[in-house]
Structures are given as C-alpha cells and as structure tokens.
Amino acid sequence: MDTIGQGFEPADGDGPALTAAERAAELRTAHEGLLQIRRLVNGPSGAGVPAPWELRLMPRAVALALEAAGLPPSARDPQDPDGPRTRTGYRVGPAASGDDRVEVTWLGPPGSGAAEEEQERLTACATALERLGWVCLLYRGPRRRRFLEVEPPPAP
C-alpha cells in the first residue's frame, strides 16, 4: 500500500462518484495486498484479523474492505464537496466515541430513500467487515438514524 495521498485511496463516501471500470484493477490489487500483508504479519491469525497498519489507519482500512466487498460508497459533487450527496452509499469517518473506532453511515441525496434502507445496507456492511475480523455494532443515533461502529477485535 502507498502512503496516504499517493497511489490508491479507498472510497470513504465523501469524494466524487467513481465508476467501477476506473477502479476495478486498482481495487483488486489493493485488497490482495491487504490480505497478503495480513498473512505476513499476523502469524497464525493470518488474513482473519486486521494488520497493525489497519489499526493505525482504520478509516482507510474499513473503506477499503467495504469497497472491495462491492458495496457502493456515497459521493459528493467534486465542485461542491460540502454540498449535498450525489450518490447513495456508505460513508466511513471517525467515530464520536473514540480514536480506536470508526463509524459507517448510509447516506444519499435528499429524497433518495437512504434512511429507509440503512438498516439492511449497514447490516451488509457489517457482514463484509466481520468476515475480515472487524467487530461491528449497529446503533441508532440522533434523528433515529442508524450507524455502524467498527472496532478492532479484542487482543488475544
């Protein structure tokens, strides 16, 4: 994996919409690299638990796992990055509860129906992340919107 700001950057749900064709090969290489790093540094646990670099860069690692699982990231207009969303999907960001966790939300443009599908879609996000060793908890937050809190597995 390259350093942040260089090379492949996983979609966190706050950037512009990207087409699958633009990202397929890069995404596959990045995800295979993640799994290989896990096998090399995690000893007997292998690819089943996050590697140390994933714990240091959790939002990036979680976004990579979700994108590699084929889940769509939310998007914003590149001309107006603080404006309304242009596509429905996941968004990965820091959790309000602490530095050792990230939060995954399901967001979309106004009127997109994202709120109605968030429980089902966040459950799919949790399934994808749990397969890779992350611990996920589904909560209901302000305005009764659901979010997923993701944290590393407990230390053995």
Side-chain angles (χ1 to χ4, degrees):
M1 294 253 134
D2 293 324
T3 58
I4 292 178
Q6 300 173 353
F8 183 80
E9 279 296 322
D12 65 3
D14 277 336
L18 302 167
T19 65
E22 293 173 338
R23 299 200 39 101
E26 289 179 327
L27 176 60
R28 185 173 44 257
T29 299
H31 189 250
E32 288 170 0
L34 173 138
L35 296 176
Q36 184 63 21
I37 289 169
R38 283 179 167 204
R39 285 190 282 279
L40 292 171
V41 301
N42 284 345
S45 300
V49 295
W53 78 264
E54 291 176 87
L55 304 181
R56 288 190 309 274
L57 300 171
M58 280 184 60
R60 182 181 178 149
V62 167
L64 174 58
L66 293 173
E67 190 176 359
L71 295 158
S74 182
R76 291 186 182 267
D77 182 345
Q79 303 303 317
D80 186 9
D82 294 324
R85 300 205 168 264
T86 58
R87 186 167 79 181
T88 300
Y90 67 80
R91 180 193 176 271
V92 178
S97 62
D99 292 335
D100 59 342
R101 298 177 180 155
V102 297
E103 191 172 292
V104 178
T105 50
W106 193 260
L107 303 172
S112 67
E116 288 79 31
E117 62 185 36
E118 69 187 1
Q119 180 169 350
E120 176 186 344
R121 301 300 284 180
L122 288 172
T123 299
C125 290
T127 299
L129 292 167
E130 288 169 349
R131 273 190 234 125
L132 291 172
W134 295 101
V135 175
C136 303
L137 300 167
L138 185 62
Y139 291 102
R140 188 178 294 247
R143 297 181 307 275
R144 303 198 42 83
R145 294 294 306 262
R146 288 179 173 82
F147 65 93
L148 194 63
E149 195 170 83
V150 182
E151 60 188 49

